[in-house]
Amino acid sequence: MSFTDFLRVIRARWVLATSIFAVLTLAALIGSLVWPKKYTAQATLMIDLKVDPVAGTSATGVMQSAAFLTTQVDIIESQHVAQKVIANLQLADNTDFRNNWEKQGRKGDYASWLADAILANLKVEAARESNIVNISYSHTDAKLAQAMANSFAKAYIDSTVQFKTNPARQYSEFFEERANLARQKLEKAQVRLSEAQQAKGILVTDERLDAETVKFNELSSQLTSLRGLLADSGSRSRQALRAGDIAPDAMSSSLVTSLRTELSRQQAKLDEAQERYGDNHPNILETRANIASIQDKLRQETSRVTRSLGATDQINQGRLVAIQAAFDAQREKLLKLKEDRNELMVIEREVGAAQRVYDAIQARQSQMSLEGSNNQNNVVVLSTATEPVTPSAPRVGVNTVIGALLGMVLAAFVTILVELGDRTVRSTSDMVNLLQTPVIGYLSSRQTRKRWWHGRDESVLYPLESHAYPGLETANSPTPGRLN
């Protein structure tokens, strides 16, 4: 069916099409006027995503901003927030809601049904490019719509605080319990350490600060030094025993040096006197007596130096034996102390570990206690809901236009269905399409005025018939119905 044929059908059945169009348009208009009016109140919230100064973490954490806002929208639309709204506005005592519950014959939990009922009129939207959340509530009562929108905003803010503080308080109680156990374990470890220190007589386990270690180090240095002295004194004593007159100690003695000098002088005097006098001269005899005396004194002094070196060597040997015994005793004592220290160090490590565990738990307990007492939130109310003056639904103009559009579509559809059920020949094109026979001409009782929907010539509409019958006159010919 061409558009021209469609217009002919509409023109022929204009009463039916107009009736359907008018009925639907009037129905939409009357329905919009009769339908109960609804008022919508809106509250606007801003969710701050910066780092919480108390918890030290961001509100989003590892979650993206869009996902976080979607989660907040789901929280506002949850039963938890709805139950808070019911409690704040005391809707459970509202007779209208109770009557609807009884009329519907509902069974089960009235609070859950009421929460679902008020959530049905709630609309929450999160902005795409910002952290703004709009809470809209629609109801036939403008004041109730305002109260519900503001109550949902308040209930959501209270819920965000509750979601932060309740887990923090639970964790605080858990950490407090663990801290008590850790403190008891620490006290037991400290008691064990104190008892062990008293039993072993050790107060400091650090060997660098221990007096026994200092004493051992001193004995070790003395033993080393004394061994050197003993080696030196032994060597000098043996040298003195082998050749006392040329021993270094004898040579370094001032008395021996003076005696030797005097001996040399007397020897020189004797040599001089022998050249002048005879062997029995008194001067020579006196000089020889002096030389013998000096030599005797020199032997005595050398022997004394040798004996002193032997005595010094014996003293050093005795001191070495004594210090070696003291060193060995001190070493055994240190080995025993080291064993005792190792036992104490094990207990000290237990005390240190218990102390660190207790300090860590105490720090976490303090943090959780602080977060549990924090009643601040990251939600800011940008605008509270006000009582709406004009209804948001139904929209008379929009509904009427929609009804008119639907009426036009339905009118065209019904008209075409009726036309298909009752085919009436309305033009030459219908005759050609139905009978598959060319039309030679047609008679008209009056001259047909050209209409705006006759935009094309019949020869254009039906080119085959025009070429097959070149003498055919169409309705647009000067003398319709005649052959040339």
Side-chain angles (χ1 to χ4, degrees), residues 303-316:
S303 177
R304 187 186 65 82
V305 171
T306 303
R307 289 195 304 271
S308 66
L309 289 176
T312 302
D313 184 61
Q314 291 179 358
I315 292 173
N316 289 336

Side-chain angles (χ1 to χ4, degrees), residues 364-378:
R364 292 295 296 164
Q365 194 273 333
S366 300
Q367 178 67 24
M368 291 296 102
S369 178
L370 181 62
E371 294 182 14
S373 59
N374 178 27
N375 58 358
Q376 304 298 321
N377 59 79
N378 61 332

